[in-house]
């Protein structure tokens, strides 16, 4: 597949763009990454996603595909003969992976983001407790889905790995902000080991932003109120 046939509109710091980039790497799809400028939206982005006006957008032969999880599924289906399958092979396992990916976005992520947006210390503590509760749930999900193997998807990175793993760069930043470690071998031993394996996978490692660079970007995205 020629690079010109596949383009991805997004930002290096976006969790959701990260998902599409990982999926493209897993499938060894040559592509052009079109970087958006912080604080503005390009004409191409607005034209390609006129409904939500947000990234990521995958352009495949100039046809746009929007929304991160939909893009990951599309990549898996469009290049089914390239690289490992991203979605599980069995219908029930696919349904379970989609269910927990939705949980990550609709509940777990909301709690995680609340740590950075909290205005008062008690709000931050409540958000940390919610994330910890979610981590305990996801620890069990990993044990159930992985069936003793390396990733949620088994022997290689899959749909649910991408859904959760895309947050790991930001999780490091939030750990620094909250002075609290979320994934450790005491409370979530399986997830802690999984996170290390995920971040060091050749398809993922080059995409994980430097923590200091991401922390500086977080200050723009989530400015603290002046004293």
């Amino acid at each position: 597949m020629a690079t010109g046939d596949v383009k991805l509109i997004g930002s290096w710091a976006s969790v959701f763009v990260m998902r599409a980039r990982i999926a493209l790497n897993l499938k060894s799809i040559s592509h052009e990454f079109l970087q958006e400028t912080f604080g503005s939206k390009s004409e191409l982005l607005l034209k390609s996603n006129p409904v939500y006006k947000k990234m990521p957008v995958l352009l495949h032969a100039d046809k746009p595909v929007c929304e991160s999880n939909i893009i990951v599924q599309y990549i898996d289906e469009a290049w089914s003969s390239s690289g490992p399958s991203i979605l599980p092979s069995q219908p029930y396992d696919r349904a379970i992976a989609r269910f927990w990916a939705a949980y990550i976005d609709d509940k777990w992520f909301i709690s995680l983001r609340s740590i950075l947006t909290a205005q008062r210390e008690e709000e931050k503590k409540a958000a940390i407790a919610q994330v910890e509760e979610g981590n305990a749930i996801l620890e069990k999900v990993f044990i159930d889905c992985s069936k003793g193997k390396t990733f949620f998807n088994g022997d290689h990175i899959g749909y649910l790995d991408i859904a959760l793993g895309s947050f790991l760069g930001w999780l490091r930043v939030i750990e620094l902000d909250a002075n609290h470690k979320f994934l450790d071998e005491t409370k979530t031993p399986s997830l802690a080991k999984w996170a290390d394996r995920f971040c060091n996978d050749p398809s993922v490692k080059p995409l994980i932003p430097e923590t200091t660079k991401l922390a500086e970007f977080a200050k723009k995205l989530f400015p603290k109120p002046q004293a």
Side-chain angles (χ1 to χ4, degrees):
M1 178 63 66
T3 301
D5 290 337
V6 184
K7 298 181 177 70
L8 181 67
I9 304 172
S11 165
W12 64 272
S14 169
V15 165
F16 303 104
V17 174
M18 172 80 71
R19 290 174 176 174
R21 298 181 76 189
I22 292 171
L24 288 166
N25 278 3
L26 284 172
K27 292 289 188 175
S28 300
I29 304 302
S30 179
H31 62 281
E32 182 180 0
F33 184 46
L34 304 177
Q35 184 83 239
E36 287 287 299
T37 302
F38 176 70
S40 64
K41 297 181 180 181
S42 68
E43 289 186 15
L44 181 60
L45 174 61
L46 297 175
K47 176 185 174 182
S48 303
N49 189 359
V51 176
Y52 291 111
K53 299 179 175 63
K54 64 181 183 180
M55 52 192 177
V57 177
L58 180 75
L59 297 173
H60 185 195
D62 293 325
K63 295 180 180 178
V65 182
C66 306
E67 296 295 300
S68 63
N69 287 333
I70 293 174
I71 291 172
V72 171
Q73 293 176 61
Y74 176 83
I75 291 169
D76 195 35
E77 293 170 358
W79 291 281
S80 58
S81 61
S82 300
S85 296
I86 294 174
L87 284 160
S89 59
Q90 297 301 313
Y92 179 76
D93 293 336
R94 287 199 296 273
I96 292 299
R98 288 179 175 125
F99 174 86
W100 287 113
Y103 166 82
I104 289 165
D105 284 357
D106 297 341
K107 295 201 70 175
W108 182 84
F109 166 59
I110 301 303
S111 299
L112 191 68
R113 185 176 60 185
S114 295
I115 296 171
L116 289 177
T117 59
Q119 299 296 313
R120 297 188 298 273
E121 191 62 30
E122 56 267 28
E123 290 178 357
K124 181 178 285 191
K125 289 180 179 178
I128 290 172
Q130 288 175 342
V131 173
E132 291 281 18
E133 182 181 340
N135 287 350
I137 292 171
L138 292 171
E139 171 81 3
K140 186 177 185 305
V141 172
F142 177 82
I143 293 169
D144 292 343
C145 290
S146 67
K147 300 178 177 64
K149 295 186 177 181
T150 308
F151 297 103
F152 282 93
N153 198 46
D155 292 321
H156 57 80
I157 288 173
Y159 184 72
L160 192 49
D161 296 285
I162 294 172
L164 182 59
S166 59
F167 286 99
L168 291 174
W170 274 100
L171 191 63
R172 294 172 182 171
V173 172
I174 295 171
E175 285 180 336
L176 290 173
D177 181 80
N179 193 27
H180 182 91
K181 189 167 180 62
F182 289 101
L183 298 182
D184 62 54
E185 295 188 0
T186 302
K187 293 177 288 187
T188 54
S190 297
L191 278 184
K193 292 174 183 176
W194 162 82
D196 286 339
R197 289 192 295 266
F198 182 88
C199 289
N200 283 296
D201 187 272
S203 297
V204 177
K205 190 173 182 179
L207 302 178
I208 299 290
E210 294 179 11
T211 303
T212 52
K213 183 180 178 182
L214 200 56
E216 284 301 312
F217 182 79
K219 293 177 183 177
K220 299 178 182 178
L221 202 58
F222 303 100
K224 298 295 183 184
Q226 296 296 319

